[in-house]
Amino acid sequence: MFIVVSSKNYNVLSYGAVGNGNNDDTQAFIKAWTDTCKDSDRPVMLIPKGKTFLVHPVTFAGPCKSSQVDVQLSGNVIAPNDPNAWKGLDFGKWLTFQYVDGLTVSGDGLLDGRGKGWWDISCKYNPGKGCNKLAPSILRFENCNNVKTTRIRTVQSGGVHLVYFGCQGVEVTSVNINAPDESPNTDGIRLSHSTSVSITDSIIGTGDDCIAMLDRSYNISITRVNCGPGHGISIGSLGGNGDEVDLENITISHINFYNTTNGARIKTWPAGKGQVRNVEFSNIKFKEVENPIIIDQHYGESKNSPRQKTEF
């Protein structure tokens, strides 16, 4: 059991949150975070059990005074239903942490991205004028070091569920991630420009990659994960627009793939450059998987496209 020892809890209810699923509780969350981040003695921002909080897109920014900061997610947090709530904001983000070191987000609560409104306007399924190519991730960590995500559940993300960008020292344990298999671009976990990452003992079922590792991902360990439905555990896609990329030291073991389009997967665009080194998939099981092992060095090409030389 995960136990938090702290001098003080900052309960969002104490800052005016209602928790009825209808009132906008965003400002209460911002105020609670502000005081949490100012506390120097391992503070806890508490999202209590038995409540459902409606929160609009928000960024919880650091650095904070304490070297250890905890967000205890015991209740439910839901996103706005209407994509118009993001008007004028970054479509790729809902709940974002930036520059917070020693951060732990834990608990048995729920983060619900209520993503159907985004799926309905996705260019993947509804191409044409006015379609949308970018949808919000549920939980995004940017430039956070020594960050832990434990036991939380995420559902119905408009886009990616958990994103780690520019982070060092990441632990993801016992998370449960779920979205319908037809939901577009709903990766479970996406890593980029991050190093020393451990993902263990988790259940991931989505409409896209269960886990995707993008450029500048180093020293990644993924073990004891159930993946399905989804597109598998992927390195890539890499090298779009001819970019030069670098990934190294990736170990993936004890994985159960069920009802996925792919299993162990590496996908690179033909114009890309760079290197993918020291990758190991081991102790993996497949059930009802279309492409158990696939290395695609011409990702994004149609079947009739001429083959191009790749430098991977």
Side-chain angles (χ1 to χ4, degrees):
M1 182 177 179
F2 189 82
I3 298 175
V4 173
V5 178
S6 173
S7 61
K8 189 170 182 180
N9 290 345
Y10 295 89
N11 191 324
V12 295
L13 293 176
S14 300
Y15 293 85
V18 178
N20 63 6
N22 294 312
N23 289 61
D24 183 357
D25 292 320
T26 309
Q27 289 305 312
F29 273 60
I30 292 172
K31 292 175 182 177
W33 172 255
T34 298
D35 284 352
T36 301
C37 197
K38 288 179 180 178
D39 192 321
S40 60
D41 186 19
R42 194 170 182 176
V44 176
M45 177 177 169
L46 178 61
I47 303 166
K49 189 174 182 179
K51 297 286 185 178
T52 297
F53 301 94
L54 172 62
V55 177
H56 284 242
V58 62
T59 295
F60 303 107
C64 296
K65 287 190 175 180
S66 177
S67 60
Q68 293 180 293
V69 180
D70 295 279
V71 175
Q72 186 67 39
L73 174 67
S74 297
N76 300 334
V77 183
I78 61 175
N81 254 330
D82 189 351
N84 285 323
W86 276 259
K87 187 175 182 179
L89 303 174
D90 187 336
F91 281 10
K93 301 178 182 181
W94 175 33
L95 306 175
T96 303
F97 289 92
Q98 290 180 339
Y99 301 103
V100 185
D101 293 344
L103 173 66
T104 297
V105 180
S106 65
D108 52 7
L110 177 71
L111 298 175
D112 186 348
R114 300 209 287 181
K116 188 176 185 304
W118 292 98
W119 308 337
D120 289 345
I121 60 175
S122 168
C123 291
K124 184 173 182 178
Y125 292 148
N126 301 285
K129 186 177 180 180
C131 72
N132 183 67
K133 294 183 179 180
L134 180 64
S137 55
I138 284 183
L139 194 55
R140 182 179 176 92
F141 301 90
E142 298 178 348
N143 302 294
C144 297
N145 299 323
N146 301 318
V147 56
K148 298 179 181 180
T149 313
T150 305
R151 298 198 326 274
I152 65 169
R153 293 181 295 139
T154 66
V155 298
Q156 315 297 327
S157 184
V160 181
H161 286 246
L162 303 180
V163 176
Y164 299 86
F165 177 85
C167 298
Q168 182 173 3
V170 174
E171 294 183 22
V172 182
T173 307
S174 301
V175 298
N176 191 314
I177 294 171
N178 184 265
D181 59 1
E182 70 275 8
S183 57
N185 303 315
T186 53
D187 289 352
I189 300 173
R190 181 179 292 174
L191 309 173
S192 178
H193 292 75
S194 295
T195 187
S196 299
V197 178
S198 171
I199 301 171
T200 61
D201 299 309
S202 295
I203 300 171
I204 306 173
T206 72
D208 209 314
D209 295 325
C210 290
I211 300 172
M213 289 155 279
L214 305 184
D215 189 21
R216 303 305 192 266
S217 296
Y218 306 113
N219 304 325
I220 312 299
S221 173
I222 300 169
T223 185
R224 299 188 301 278
V225 171
N226 289 336
C227 171
H231 295 177
I233 293 180
S234 298
I235 295 172
S237 62
L238 302 172
N241 301 314
D243 293 341
E244 184 167 351
V245 300
D246 185 31
L247 293 91
E248 189 170 358
N249 299 335
I250 297 171
T251 303
I252 301 159
S253 66
H254 296 91
I255 310 297
N256 293 322
F257 291 104
Y258 170 71
N259 192 26
T260 58
T261 55
N262 307 289
R265 187 185 192 194
I266 300 175
K267 47 181 176 174
T268 62
W269 293 81
K273 302 180 292 293
Q275 59 188 9
V276 177
R277 297 189 299 184
N278 197 18
V279 176
E280 177 181 319
F281 285 87
S282 65
N283 295 292
I284 53 180
K285 296 181 180 180
F286 304 104
K287 185 176 181 180
E288 299 182 20
V289 176
E290 293 181 25
N291 304 299
I293 300 172
I294 180 169
I295 299 176
D296 183 0
Q297 292 182 290
H298 293 267
Y299 181 74
E301 284 188 348
S302 69
K303 292 182 179 179
N304 297 322
S305 296
R307 288 297 189 181
Q308 300 178 38
K309 182 180 178 181
T310 176
E311 295 186 36
F312 284 96

